[in-house]
Amino acid sequence: MSVEQIFEKLEQSFNAEAAQGLDLVFQFDIEDDKTYHLVINDGTCKLHEGAHDDPSVTLIMNSETLEDVVSGETDGMQAFMAGQLRAEGDMMLATKLGDLFNMG
């Protein structure tokens, strides 16, 4: 699965109800691919290619880790603890990803 397909799957698994009232930007720096960001705004989710000017949190990983986390094969926290995933910015927001997207 390509990185773009992984993000499309992530966007399709978005839980709009969990995002009511939120205004966040999750940026994903994929080390062996491109940078993408998801704009979450009051129950909506839009995927954009490229970097955002002011992301709420930036998650840095390779494409294999991204695929494992989105598929539910690896828990995001496990990947973080194993050093496969780094976060910059508001790290607590990274824990919201599981609520905002149905992983697996």
Side-chain angles (χ1 to χ4, degrees):
M1 194 181 303
S2 75
V3 168
E4 192 170 349
Q5 289 171 316
I6 295 168
F7 278 109
E8 286 169 4
K9 180 180 177 189
L10 191 64
E11 195 176 21
Q12 290 163 4
S13 68
F14 179 63
N15 179 354
E17 202 173 290
Q20 293 301 317
L22 295 180
D23 185 12
L24 306 169
V25 177
F26 290 94
Q27 184 160 295
F28 297 84
D29 286 351
I30 309 304
E31 295 167 321
D32 55 344
D33 204 289
K34 300 175 185 158
T35 296
Y36 293 86
H37 63 276
L38 289 168
V39 177
I40 312 288
N41 189 340
D42 199 24
T44 65
C45 173
K46 289 296 268 178
L47 174 66
H48 302 273
E49 192 176 307
H52 187 272
D53 290 339
D54 188 24
S56 309
V57 64
T58 300
L59 302 170
I60 304 154
M61 69 196 91
N62 64 27
S63 57
E64 184 181 343
T65 302
L66 174 69
E67 186 168 8
D68 288 350
V69 170
V70 171
S71 70
E73 199 172 303
T74 301
D75 178 68
M77 190 55 75
Q78 289 173 323
F80 181 78
M81 298 304 259
Q84 298 169 314
L85 175 120
R86 298 188 318 278
E88 294 175 355
D90 188 343
M91 290 190 216
M92 291 311 294
L93 289 178
T95 63
K96 284 193 176 288
L97 280 173
D99 297 335
L100 293 171
F101 299 93
N102 301 314
M103 307 282 192

